[in-house]
Amino acid sequence: MEAFASSDDVSARLNRTFTSAEDEWVTTLLVDASAYLRSVIGQDVFPTTTSTFTAWPDAGRVDLPQYPVVSVDAVTRESAAVDYTYRPGYITVDCDDPVAVTFTWGLASAPEILVSLSAVLVSQAIMSVEAGTGLTFGGLSSIALDDFRAAFADGGASSGMVLPEPQKALIQRQFGRGDVTVVETR
């Protein structure tokens, strides 16, 4: 999985130079942060990818399982081309038999907000590791050193790589597909 940001993006935002070992660690954290952001969005949005899937049209309609759609490259049934009409997010065909749809989707470069949010999530993880508290720092209200103790103001609900609800809603609106989720194709 490709991360939305690079260690150089994190370095620039933290005004810090990473050693080569730290750079590898930050890159791993960025992959984790990007996976988290994709789960919040509900789909992949970057990088541009070409995929083929088979689906049974529902009254001639086939929903495309990823967004944004760059192009529909081919629609076939038993290796023969099928005429189709593209509409944002779906195609229509003149049959109800299974069709194979090849389409290109995703963005050529990661949107700046996803780069920034990735860097924020990684900086939180770096801060918690460097403070000696592991990868769960969010919501921490106090630390005691003797007989180590940590207290969370929110019961730990914001610990780990977690975005506040307003940021979650923002990226879901910008890059998600609302309540549409493709569970399976048949």
Side-chain angles (χ1 to χ4, degrees):
M1 176 183 310
E2 192 168 338
F4 291 128
S6 68
S7 61
D8 289 341
D9 293 318
V10 177
S11 178
R13 284 165 173 80
L14 292 178
N15 194 27
R16 172 178 173 179
T17 302
F18 296 112
T19 66
S20 61
E22 288 173 326
D23 187 63
E24 186 176 324
W25 171 50
V26 169
T27 299
T28 300
L29 291 173
L30 284 164
V31 169
D32 293 345
S34 297
Y36 168 72
L37 291 171
R38 284 179 173 95
S39 74
V40 168
I41 294 167
Q43 66 176 3
D44 291 336
V45 293
F46 166 79
T48 303
T49 305
T50 299
S51 300
T52 299
F53 70 100
T54 301
W56 289 79
D58 184 4
R61 179 181 169 139
V62 176
D63 290 325
L64 301 173
Q66 288 287 243
Y67 181 82
V69 174
V70 175
S71 64
V72 176
D73 305 316
V75 179
T76 60
R77 184 179 65 237
E78 297 177 1
S79 301
V82 173
D83 289 333
Y84 65 91
T85 302
Y86 172 75
R87 299 281 184 252
Y90 68 95
I91 60 166
T92 57
V93 294
D94 289 332
C95 69
D96 288 330
D97 298 321
V99 293
V101 180
T102 301
F103 72 114
T104 302
W105 53 272
L107 301 169
S109 60
E112 190 57 36
I113 188 167
L114 297 178
V115 173
S116 296
L117 290 173
S118 295
V120 167
L121 292 169
V122 168
S123 71
Q124 291 171 351
I126 291 170
M127 191 168 76
S128 66
V129 168
E130 290 179 347
T133 61
L135 290 175
T136 57
F137 197 74
L140 189 64
S141 64
S142 66
I143 298 176
L145 297 176
D146 225 13
D147 291 327
F148 181 81
R149 178 179 58 218
F152 291 87
D154 59 3
S158 297
S159 63
M161 284 191 182
V162 179
L163 289 176
E165 288 304 318
Q167 278 74 30
K168 282 184 182 180
L170 173 71
I171 64 172
Q172 287 168 340
R173 277 192 314 273
Q174 279 188 289
F175 305 108
R177 293 186 65 170
D179 294 333
V180 175
T181 303
V182 175
V183 176
E184 67 179 270
T185 57
R186 46 183 175 139

